[in-house]
Amino acid sequence: MREDLISFADALEALLRRHVYIRDDKAYTVLTVWVICSYFMDSWNHFPHIYIGSPMEGSGKSTLAKAMLCGTANPIKEKKLTFPTLVSTIRGETIKPTIFLDEVHQYFGPQAPQDWEQFFLDSFEYDATIKKQGPTEKGRWETIITDAFVPTILAMNPYVTIPSAVISRCIKIDMWANENERPKLNERKAKEDLKPFIEKLKATPGDSFQKYTEIENTGLTNRDEDKWLPLIVVADAMGGERSKTIRNTALEWSQKESPQDDMHNKKVMFLESVARSFLEKGLKQTTVELRNSTNSHLVNEGIPALEHQAFISEGKTFEIKAKQIHRPDGPDDPKPNKWGYSHDQFVPAWTAYAPHVLEWFQEDKENVVELDASQNGHDSSKLHRIDALETARRSLINRGL
């Protein structure tokens, strides 16, 4: 079985890497092993959900989930799935399905049916069931029991708060938009390429790892161990670098709110520094001006200054690029249009990653000015006040959030 696991892992991980960009390289191995674990659900006492999150459009959340589904035994993907349909879908499958739920924010909040949250909580454990009254084949209404212990992939942007109890049952993958486009996923071809490996795993008993709890020295405790133990056991069965990667990642990610906390904090500091630059220097700045001002704030926070290209690349991670702005150096400047940035380009990123920044603009809006053609360090009495919070609201509406 070891060779079958390794061959399948090699093929599936290559597929994920080919079509999806994930900043934390270890995530490719984690997701690959998770998919393999889904073939052995009869072995596990607990099995984690995969939560793919990103506030950035075009980050590849859905593509990642679809690529993972190509490697599962019985994929089920629905954008708008009602809970009764979910139950009937699970009950009607002879092979335990892997469920992909996109735009999961619709399942949380005061208006959402409580059945969904309970499902996400219960389906983490092997004895999870859904009990509903329904008609039997004989036409009588009875309590119908459905096995709810199914692999589940959730995708959403993190604007909606997910209950911490649900998050604690998930392995969270943070996605970021990337300027380098990957080849478009051809699901049909991907499934055909993976089919030989899938058939071998489907023929392998689902309880092949039933003694998995006897493993020792994971370094994890409580729910973290429950969540990661299936992946550790399967990775150990393959051995080599995957075993080391899964064990090390389980320890690292379990100690953080999310896998990319350190990187996220640096991103937030970058966005905060940019915001301070706009507040101090004006809402339109050339690339050099904004970089120099931003760097001064970054250095004060103990972060190395960004070189010109690094500064531009940092903006592109948020899908922000320099553009022509009207920012003359005085009233007689023969070339009033220059390459630079305006503050409104950063509003979606602030909204997504540093919403507190918007309050800075609101609090200081009497002093925040959009610099006029004769401004930016020169005399001018024309001030264009800006309400950044209103800009953020419009941005969210335009993006369908």
Side-chain angles (χ1 to χ4, degrees):
M1 182 175 68
R2 179 174 180 271
E3 294 304 318
D4 291 338
L5 294 177
I6 293 174
S7 298
F8 184 27
D10 289 344
L12 180 58
E13 186 166 335
L15 176 73
L16 299 183
R17 290 180 179 277
R18 186 181 311 121
H19 296 289
V20 183
Y21 172 74
I22 310 176
R23 293 185 73 96
D24 193 325
D25 192 74
K26 299 183 291 295
Y28 294 107
T29 302
V30 170
L31 297 175
T32 296
V33 175
W34 183 91
V35 169
I36 294 176
C37 288
S38 71
Y39 285 83
F40 302 100
M41 295 297 287
D42 291 340
S43 296
W44 319 129
N45 292 327
H46 303 87
F47 194 65
H49 312 307
I50 294 295
Y51 165 31
I52 307 170
S54 175
M56 306 297 289
E57 294 181 355
S59 63
K61 297 189 299 293
S62 298
T63 300
L64 173 58
K66 291 174 182 176
M68 292 173 64
L69 288 179
C70 290
T72 62
N74 186 17
I76 303 293
K77 57 180 179 181
E78 296 287 345
K79 280 192 173 181
K80 294 184 179 180
L81 190 68
T82 65
F83 191 75
T85 303
L86 171 69
V87 176
S88 61
T89 298
I90 295 174
R91 188 169 60 244
E93 298 294 330
T94 55
I95 299 176
K96 193 178 285 285
T98 298
I99 308 295
F100 169 40
L101 299 171
D102 205 355
E103 307 300 336
V104 182
H105 58 272
Q106 63 188 305
Y107 303 129
F108 296 100
Q111 304 301 319
Q114 291 301 307
D115 288 335
W116 281 106
E117 183 174 335
Q118 198 61 48
F119 167 73
F120 295 132
L121 295 175
D122 293 345
S123 58
F124 176 68
E125 301 187 20
Y126 80 97
D127 57 354
T129 58
I130 301 171
K131 298 179 181 180
K132 292 290 182 182
Q133 291 291 319
T136 64
E137 294 180 357
K138 298 180 180 180
R140 294 196 299 257
W141 279 76
E142 297 179 358
T143 299
I144 300 175
I145 300 177
T146 302
D147 178 9
F149 187 50
V150 294
T152 307
I153 304 172
L154 318 177
M156 66 172 287
N157 59 55
Y159 289 100
V160 178
T161 301
I162 296 181
S164 59
V166 175
I167 289 292
S168 70
R169 290 161 169 80
C170 296
I171 292 176
K172 187 172 181 292
I173 307 296
D174 290 333
M175 302 288 289
W176 296 72
N178 181 254
E179 61 185 276
N180 299 317
E181 292 187 6
R182 301 292 173 104
K184 186 175 178 62
L185 175 67
N186 184 331
E187 294 179 68
R188 182 189 296 273
K189 185 178 185 306
K191 290 177 181 178
E192 291 176 354
D193 292 342
L194 294 174
K195 186 175 180 180
F197 307 106
I198 291 174
E199 293 303 320
K200 287 183 178 181
L201 282 193
K202 286 169 67 174
T204 305
D207 61 354
S208 296
F209 295 96
Q210 58 182 323
K211 295 183 179 181
Y212 82 106
T213 55
E214 297 175 4
I215 192 172
E216 298 178 355
N217 301 323
T218 64
L220 302 169
T221 59
N222 303 324
R223 185 164 292 158
D224 285 331
E225 186 171 61
D226 292 339
K227 188 164 60 176
W228 283 96
L229 201 52
L231 281 74
I232 292 173
V233 170
V234 170
D236 282 355
M238 288 186 276
E241 287 302 315
R242 283 196 178 92
S243 176
K244 295 178 183 177
T245 297
I246 292 298
R247 282 181 171 271
N248 292 337
T249 304
L251 290 171
E252 178 187 344
W253 290 11
S254 294
Q255 294 170 1
K256 298 179 180 180
E257 181 182 350
S258 69
Q260 293 84 14
D261 264 1
D262 290 342
M263 184 178 296
H264 175 78
N265 290 339
K266 291 180 181 178
K267 296 292 181 184
V268 171
M269 287 186 181
F270 170 77
L271 291 173
E272 288 178 343
S273 298
V274 169
R276 290 191 176 97
S277 298
F278 281 123
L279 284 165
E280 295 171 0
K281 305 294 184 179
L283 300 179
K284 288 182 180 178
Q285 296 183 44
T286 66
T287 302
V288 173
E289 290 169 342
L290 185 60
R291 178 175 67 86
N292 289 341
S293 181
T294 299
N295 276 339
S296 67
H297 292 291
L298 289 174
V299 170
N300 287 338
E301 296 293 339
I303 298 177
L306 298 171
E307 298 294 334
H308 182 77
Q309 192 57 47
F311 178 83
I312 292 174
S313 297
E314 195 70 31
K316 286 181 178 179
T317 64
F318 301 101
E319 298 183 339
I320 301 170
K321 298 180 181 180
K323 65 177 184 178
Q324 287 282 323
I325 60 170
H326 187 72
R327 229 285 290 121
D329 293 323
D332 299 323
D333 189 345
K335 295 182 178 180
N337 294 328
K338 297 177 174 61
W339 283 100
Y341 298 86
S342 60
H343 104 289
D344 59 286
Q345 292 177 267
F346 286 84
V347 169
W350 288 329
T351 306
Y353 294 100
H356 59 282
V357 165
L358 299 174
E359 298 178 3
W360 299 352
F361 287 89
Q362 178 69 10
E363 293 168 358
D364 201 32
K365 71 177 183 178
E366 292 302 316
N367 299 318
V368 177
V369 297
E370 181 174 355
L371 296 178
D372 186 82
S374 58
Q375 237 181 321
N376 198 41
H378 301 275
D379 292 336
S380 173
S381 59
K382 187 175 181 181
L383 305 183
H384 301 283
R385 307 209 193 291
I386 182 102
D387 187 335
L389 288 176
E390 182 58 33
T391 304
R393 293 189 195 99
R394 290 198 302 270
S395 173
L396 289 174
I397 292 172
N398 291 337
R399 294 159 64 196
L401 301 171

